[in-house]
Amino acid sequence: MVQKENHYEELLDRVQKTSTCRLFAHERLKAHHSASLWTISCFSMGLVFIPLVHTFGLQSRFTLEYSSFIQVVLAIVILVISIILNMTNFSVRADRIHRCGMQLNTLARRIHRHINDDSGADTYDSLVKEYDDILQRYENHSRIDYLYTKNHMTNYYKTPWYFSVYIRVLFIFQFLPYLLLLSLEVIWIWYLVTPVT
């Protein structure tokens, strides 16, 4: 870590890091919101597609009863994902944490003006209090947001060569449940409509 020459530089450093974490958290939460909506949409299409196979008399590997069972399973998955999406509230949280990042950016610009002047302790204390107040108003970012910041703020951190790959793997790992569910649905529908040879 780089040692800061004065209190204002140290405070600016902290504010910039936190702001970067919050803005990445905003992008991550938006990605979760999109992935959840796509998963619900695809399962809803599957829910419509399955009865059409039997309605139009298309050849199927499965009986009507088994297909009806899968329809119920898909409906349950849609319900569960909808409940999770409602509880986690990705979209609202993303907007709030973005607002936090923007407020921190504004504060960072104000702190930067004081780095080379001889502002008193009162000014510094008021900026620190404003920083603390902003943090208290919003939820904290997660560990992966901090790791992203650590990887992208190379002026402050020295990271090993594999660190970037590690962060990408961690990021993708969060979305594996969505990918797994969608893959299972695609495989099942493909298996449903592929004729027995």
Side-chain angles (χ1 to χ4, degrees):
M1 293 258 311
V2 177
Q3 293 297 320
K4 296 298 165 190
E5 295 177 4
N6 62 46
H7 295 303
Y8 286 108
E9 285 189 16
E10 188 271 335
L11 180 60
L12 178 63
D13 178 43
R14 275 192 291 152
V15 171
Q16 286 177 329
K17 288 175 187 173
T18 308
S19 173
T20 304
C21 288
R22 300 299 163 93
L23 293 174
F24 179 71
H26 167 252
E27 295 300 321
R28 181 178 54 80
L29 290 171
K30 275 181 27 182
H32 270 290
H33 180 70
S34 296
S36 299
L37 290 178
W38 274 104
T39 304
I40 290 172
S41 300
C42 290
F43 270 78
S44 299
M45 286 189 294
L47 204 55
V48 172
F49 178 75
I50 291 170
L52 291 178
V53 170
H54 293 288
T55 301
F56 289 104
L58 301 176
Q59 188 176 8
S60 171
R61 289 176 180 248
F62 304 114
T63 63
L64 180 60
E65 291 79 15
Y66 185 77
S67 296
S68 298
F69 169 75
I70 293 299
Q71 278 183 275
V72 172
V73 170
L74 290 178
I76 291 170
V77 170
I78 291 170
L79 177 64
V80 169
I81 293 173
S82 299
I83 290 170
I84 291 171
L85 185 59
N86 189 42
M87 285 173 34
T88 52
N89 218 353
F90 289 125
S91 182
V92 173
R93 287 172 59 208
D95 288 342
R96 287 180 186 154
I97 212 158
H98 182 262
R99 194 176 315 125
C100 177
M102 297 307 289
Q103 289 177 5
L104 289 170
N105 276 340
T106 302
L107 177 62
R109 287 191 295 273
R110 288 181 41 226
I111 294 168
H112 190 268
R113 289 197 303 257
H114 294 287
I115 286 179
N116 294 321
D117 66 16
D118 293 327
S119 300
D122 290 343
T123 304
Y124 176 78
D125 290 342
S126 70
L127 291 170
V128 169
K129 184 179 184 314
E130 186 176 345
Y131 174 58
D132 290 337
D133 289 344
I134 291 171
L135 295 185
Q136 292 295 325
R137 286 197 297 268
Y138 300 98
E139 72 173 287
N140 199 6
H141 50 265
S142 70
R143 181 173 179 270
I144 192 164
D145 305 319
Y146 167 73
L147 293 176
Y148 173 86
T149 299
K150 190 173 180 178
N151 187 52
H152 285 80
M153 297 186 82
T154 53
N155 295 342
Y156 303 123
Y157 298 105
K158 300 295 181 201
T159 57
W161 62 268
Y162 58 84
F163 196 71
S164 179
V165 175
Y166 171 69
I167 291 167
R168 289 177 199 275
V169 169
L170 280 181
F171 184 79
I172 292 170
F173 190 74
Q174 298 176 70
F175 297 92
L176 284 182
Y178 304 114
L179 294 173
L180 179 64
L181 286 170
L182 291 172
S183 299
L184 288 173
E185 182 189 26
V186 168
I187 290 168
W188 192 87
I189 290 176
W190 176 81
Y191 199 69
L192 169 73
V193 297
T194 304
V196 180
T197 55

